[in-house]
């Protein structure tokens, strides 16, 4: 186990030293690629499973985040609607928006996160989802496109969880986001 961890850190050493921010206890599994590591900030206690691809453009991954295998994060996309310009000629023209993954998030396997997306604190993103916008805090979200399906906790559990995890989010703000997402009957 120690040898495996040493080899992993050795393999990713060029990436770690160029990260915008590198917290403690970051575990990157084999088969990963990070483009533009200088634009990626990673917090403490982050695990990213095998075969990930991160195209960072001002991307942030918070603390206590778990990410499953075959993860794809793309902070830009091609501009394809230029009249009189071929796709090949426009290949370097991009729309760029950052991706933010907040604290206490679990992202399942085969998840794609596209530019401008925010995965709020406490979210669980189901396997195979494609995230294209903001997911409310402490929700279970999945689908293509990804959408909030239900709260992660009952109202009575939420306050206890926020206190025990030293969250900076206000309980009222979270409950209001659940109402806005139509997660209550």
């Amino acid at each position: 186990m120690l040898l495996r961890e040493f080899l992993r850190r050795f393999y990713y050493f060029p990436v770690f030293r160029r990260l915008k921010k590198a917290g403690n206890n970051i575990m990157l599994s084999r088969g990963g690629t990070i483009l533009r590591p200088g634009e990626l900030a990673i917090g403490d206690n982050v695990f990213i499973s095998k075969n990930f691809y991160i195209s960072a453009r001002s991307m942030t991954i918070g603390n206590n985040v778990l990410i499953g295998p075959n993860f794809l994060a793309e902070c830009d996309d091609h501009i394809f609607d230029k009249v009189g310009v071929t796709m090949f000629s426009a290949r370097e023209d991009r729309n760029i928006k950052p991706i933010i993954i907040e604290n206490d998030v679990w992202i399942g396997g085969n998840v794609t996160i596209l530019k401008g997306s925010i995965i709020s604190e406490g979210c669980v993103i189901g396997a195979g989802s494609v995230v294209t916008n903001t997911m409310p805090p402490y929700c279970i979200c999945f689908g293509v496109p990804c959408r909030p399906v239900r709260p992660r906790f009952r109202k009575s559990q939420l306050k206890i969880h926020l206190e025990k995890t030293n969250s900076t989010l206000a309980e009222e703000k979270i409950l209001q986001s659940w109402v806005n997402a139509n997660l209550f009957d």
Side-chain angles (χ1 to χ4, degrees), residues 114-132:
L114 299 178
K115 68 178 174 58
S117 297
I118 299 172
I119 300 176
S120 298
E121 181 176 311
C123 276
V124 174
I125 305 296
S129 296
V130 177
V131 182
T132 59

Side-chain angles (χ1 to χ4, degrees), residues 89-109:
S89 296
R91 71 187 177 277
E92 297 301 323
D93 298 336
R94 307 290 177 124
N95 286 318
I96 300 168
K97 291 184 183 170
I99 291 173
I100 299 170
I101 301 170
E102 295 182 351
N103 299 333
D104 191 21
V105 169
W106 183 4
I107 298 172

Side-chain angles (χ1 to χ4, degrees), residues 80-179:
F80 54 83
D81 58 354
K82 287 187 169 184
V83 176
V85 178
T86 65
M87 293 298 289
F88 186 80
S89 296
R91 71 187 177 277
E92 297 301 323
D93 298 336
R94 307 290 177 124
N95 286 318
I96 300 168
K97 291 184 183 170
I99 291 173
I100 299 170
I101 301 170
E102 295 182 351
N103 299 333
D104 191 21
V105 169
W106 183 4
I107 298 172
N110 301 304
V111 169
T112 298
I113 302 177
L114 299 178
K115 68 178 174 58
S117 297
I118 299 172
I119 300 176
S120 298
E121 181 176 311
C123 276
V124 174
I125 305 296
S129 296
V130 177
V131 182
T132 59
N133 54 31
T134 300
M135 297 297 112
Y138 290 98
C139 286
I140 297 172
C141 310
F142 57 84
V144 178
C146 190
R147 63 181 181 78
V149 177
R150 69 178 181 86
R152 187 170 147 199
F153 299 110
R154 291 190 303 270
K155 288 181 191 180
S156 60
Q157 297 172 316
L158 180 62
K159 182 176 183 175
I160 297 166
H161 180 79
L162 294 175
E163 289 172 358
K164 287 188 174 191
T165 60
N166 297 318
S167 174
T168 59
L169 289 181
E171 180 183 9
E172 298 77 33
K173 178 183 175 190
I174 296 168
L175 293 174
Q176 185 59 49
S177 73
W178 291 356
V179 169

Side-chain angles (χ1 to χ4, degrees), residues 2-19:
L2 290 174
L3 178 61
R4 183 182 308 164
E5 184 61 27
F6 172 77
L7 291 174
R8 194 178 330 198
R9 288 180 185 271
F10 180 76
Y11 178 79
Y12 286 111
F13 178 74
V15 170
F16 274 103
R17 64 185 191 119
R18 292 183 17 227
L19 287 172

